Amino acid sequence: MDDILLRSDDVGVATLTLNSPANLNALSDAMLAALADAFRALSQDDSIRAIVLRGSGKAFCAGHDLKEMQAKRAAPDGGAAALADLFNRCAEVMTAIPRLPQPVIAEVHGIATAAGCQLVASCDMAVAAEGTRFGVNGVNIGLFCSTPMVALTRNIARKQAFEMLTTGEFIDAPRARELGLVNRVVAAEHLLEEAARLAATVAGKLGTAVRIGKRTFYDQIDLPIEDAYALAGDVMVENMLHADTNEGICAFLDKRKPSWAD
């Protein structure tokens, strides 16, 4: 249990647990490196069809490790190079999530603040426990959450995001669901069960179809509508011609369970 990031696999679902409760699972250099390694491994693991990302202890993730960030400022250049490297590595971790072939579900409790909120926003789906608080609170200490803003503004409406960023105020789990930051809110005692249920549902689908679908979801979302339809049409052809898709359609028409190779 000394590893900063834990992984457990069960029936096509990989669970990654941020395991640094003493600093509220902060995205330290070590945590970012562990996440990057885990995502690289999962991107090549065809046995995994869904991923759950959770935190140990009393919080999901409190964002960057401020003590480490302050220490980087001691460099001769005032820390500019070291800090730029930190934010570049963090961006690589965040952007790796939508690029993974498997859907990633954030299982959130306690708090998700600053880069921790960014991590939730970067995941494909999120389930939150009642009582969870979300915030991009850097402005309260004079550090505007500019990098968390990138993911946040791709999840929720512009004015709501700007209010969170400029006031530094928390929102609760029901409000996060209203704004589109999380999919589901459940009682804390049911959080593990609900996230596992959602992951199992996704993992039970045809893996090829979900991988194709996730890739296309992100590829089309910022395209002009004509280009998006052209891309999606090509992908539908690709998907339709897959042998397992043919088996799925035949099974539906025959009123039987499909026998998929994937």
Side-chain angles (χ1 to χ4, degrees):
M1 293 293 291
D2 292 334
D3 292 341
I4 199 168
L5 183 69
L6 306 176
R7 173 176 168 177
S8 62
D9 296 354
D10 183 30
V11 196
V13 177
T15 299
L16 298 178
T17 303
L18 309 178
N19 189 42
S20 185
N23 66 356
L24 302 181
N25 301 313
L27 295 180
S28 61
D29 289 337
M31 184 67 81
L32 288 172
L35 284 168
D37 287 345
F39 292 156
R40 275 191 291 269
L42 285 162
S43 71
Q44 303 298 317
D45 193 338
D46 292 337
S47 71
I48 298 302
R49 297 168 181 264
I51 301 165
V52 175
L53 184 62
R54 61 189 304 272
S56 63
K58 61 184 182 180
F60 174 73
C61 178
H64 285 296
D65 188 317
L66 291 176
K67 291 181 180 179
E68 280 192 357
M69 289 173 66
Q70 285 290 83
K72 294 180 189 302
R73 297 187 63 186
D77 67 348
L83 290 168
D85 175 67
L86 168 66
F87 295 124
N88 287 338
R89 286 183 289 110
C90 181
E92 288 172 0
V93 166
M94 299 296 173
T95 56
I97 295 173
R99 291 173 183 159
L100 282 167
Q102 308 93 339
V104 182
I105 301 162
E107 178 192 307
V108 196
H109 74 290
I111 59 170
T113 60
C117 189
Q118 179 185 5
L119 189 57
V120 175
S122 298
C123 289
D124 304 303
M125 292 179 279
V127 179
E130 292 174 352
T132 304
R133 298 190 299 159
F134 300 82
V136 276
N137 321 91
V139 71
N140 293 338
I141 58 171
L143 181 64
F144 198 87
C145 281
S146 296
T147 48
M149 173 178 66
V150 175
L152 185 68
T153 54
R154 283 157 174 76
N155 274 234
I156 72 173
R158 184 177 298 182
K159 285 182 171 59
Q160 303 303 326
F162 195 75
E163 179 180 343
M164 290 178 66
L165 287 158
T166 54
T167 65
E169 294 175 353
F170 283 102
I171 60 171
D172 61 16
R175 182 60 174 158
R177 181 179 56 198
E178 289 175 3
L179 295 179
L181 183 59
V182 304
N183 299 79
R184 306 179 184 184
V185 177
V186 297
E189 61 268 26
H190 298 308
L191 178 62
L192 182 68
E193 175 187 356
E194 186 65 20
R197 181 185 296 114
L198 179 56
T201 298
V202 172
K205 308 304 180 186
L206 176 60
T208 301
V210 174
R211 287 192 294 271
I212 290 171
K214 177 174 174 177
R215 182 193 72 209
T216 310
F217 178 86
Y218 288 106
D219 285 347
Q220 65 80 32
I221 202 162
D222 291 321
L223 292 176
I225 191 166
E226 294 85 358
D227 295 340
Y229 271 119
L231 172 64
D234 290 343
V235 172
M236 289 288 285
V237 172
E238 174 191 352
N239 197 164
M240 187 70 186
L241 295 178
H242 196 280
D244 275 333
T245 302
N246 180 61
E247 164 60 14
I249 293 172
C250 290
F252 177 79
L253 295 173
D254 296 341
K255 297 180 172 58
R256 60 177 173 81
K257 186 176 181 180
S259 178
W260 284 323
D262 183 7

